[in-house]
Amino acid sequence: MLAIVGGTGLTEMPDLEIIQRHAVETPLGAASSGVIQGVLNDRDVLFLPRHGHPHKLPPHRVNYRANLWALKQAGASRIIGVNAVGGIDPGLSPGALVVPDQLIDYTCGRESTYFDGRFKPLQHIDFSWPYDAELRHTLLRAGEVAGESMQDGGVYGCTQGPRLETAAEIARMARDGCRLVGMTGMPEASLARELEIPYACLALVVNPAAGVVETEITMAEIEAALESGIERVKRVIRSLLAE
Ligand code: HPA
């Protein structure tokens, strides 16, 4: 079953016909909310708001391990993580939709693995290509069918937050090759890989990253970009379910 992890701005899927709400508790603690199982476009789908519903958990407080575990328990066989991001590439304006193909993890101190010797015995997973190629392709095709222009590829840099970055941090990330910056892409992607669930990211640019333009980043501009952008994200998801 396809699962959607909703990011900022996507705390619910209004046209989802809810069939079941799964338990919040997992062996790894509480998930952000109970996984919602429902039907959309005649297809079964799972939905989990990453920050809880209502939005309450900051990126560094999300229990990513519990969330991914809860999705697996509920029957997720493919996962799309929806992420609001800042654009480091100056060609990315607010509203752009991007399906990244690589990531760099700049976070620290997050519970980021099931293979910690306590919960599961140690394994070193291959993570050369963090996103599932087939699912990325399906996602891009769904965008095309929905008539939404989406960009293929780029490096997603995941920062710790919750503060936004300095201009120097973003300049360094640009030198590292990052096109996008967000706070929630990791460890979600690697936990999905540990659980052997194909995972892809649908990133919505909601602001130019720090220092990319001269003006300050304001919550008002982020909220405005989210409001219109999330409708486009929902269209892509509906199209994905119709595939
Ligand atoms: N930086 C980090 N995370 C973000 C940003 C940003 O500029 N915009 C939205 N999420």
Side-chain angles (χ1 to χ4, degrees):
M1 200 170 358
L2 178 73
I4 309 293
V5 182
T8 303
L10 191 62
T11 45
E12 54 186 358
M13 295 282 291
D15 36 10
L16 187 70
E17 183 197 326
I18 298 173
I19 307 277
Q20 192 182 347
R21 285 176 197 275
H22 293 265
V24 172
E25 280 305 322
T26 79
L28 294 130
S32 299
S33 112
V35 173
I36 295 163
Q37 185 171 342
V39 175
L40 187 67
N41 271 4
D42 293 330
R43 299 294 167 94
D44 291 327
V45 64
L46 299 169
F47 180 73
L48 178 64
R50 186 185 289 116
H51 300 277
H53 183 45
H55 188 300
K56 57 178 186 291
L57 297 163
H60 62 291
R61 292 269 181 237
V62 171
N63 187 341
Y64 296 92
R65 295 201 304 175
N67 283 358
L68 275 282
W69 191 265
L71 286 171
K72 176 143 183 149
Q73 288 306 105
S77 56
R78 300 184 301 166
I79 299 175
I80 303 288
V82 178
N83 300 84
V85 297
I88 298 178
D89 174 348
L92 289 174
S93 308
L97 291 175
V98 187
V99 180
D101 63 350
Q102 269 297 340
L103 65 80
I104 298 179
D105 187 2
Y106 298 92
T107 65
C108 52
R110 298 184 181 187
E111 292 279 13
S112 60
T113 180
Y114 299 110
F115 300 131
D116 61 0
R118 282 173 297 165
F119 193 69
K120 281 185 176 218
L122 179 64
Q123 268 187 51
H124 300 287
I125 54 159
D126 175 70
F127 202 46
S128 313
W129 291 94
Y131 302 112
D132 183 79
E134 200 177 310
L135 188 54
R136 287 187 67 255
H137 183 73
T138 309
L139 185 55
L140 287 160
R141 203 173 53 226
E144 218 171 276
V145 170
E148 294 295 344
S149 88
M150 308 214 316
Q151 301 201 29
D152 179 0
V155 181
Y156 172 110
C158 190
T159 56
Q160 176 69 1
R163 68 167 175 81
L164 295 170
E165 300 70 35
T166 66
E169 284 167 341
I170 292 296
R172 184 185 74 163
M173 291 175 76
R175 289 194 298 277
D176 284 353
C178 295
R179 237 190 137 194
L180 309 164
V181 56
M183 301 174 190
T184 49
M186 281 294 285
E188 202 170 272
S190 54
L191 289 168
R193 180 63 54 85
E194 288 190 356
L195 294 176
E196 298 178 4
I197 307 174
Y199 179 94
C201 165
L202 175 54
L204 167 65
V205 177
V206 293
N207 59 280
V212 172
V213 294
E214 277 178 14
T215 48
E216 265 180 34
I217 301 167
T218 65
M219 284 314 290
E221 85 176 288
I222 291 181
E223 277 158 22
L226 270 174
E227 201 174 317
S228 55
I230 283 298
E231 290 311 311
R232 298 182 51 225
V233 166
K234 286 181 192 160
R235 280 200 283 280
V236 174
I237 292 172
R238 276 188 222 110
S239 164
L240 183 65
L241 282 164
E243 285 276 307

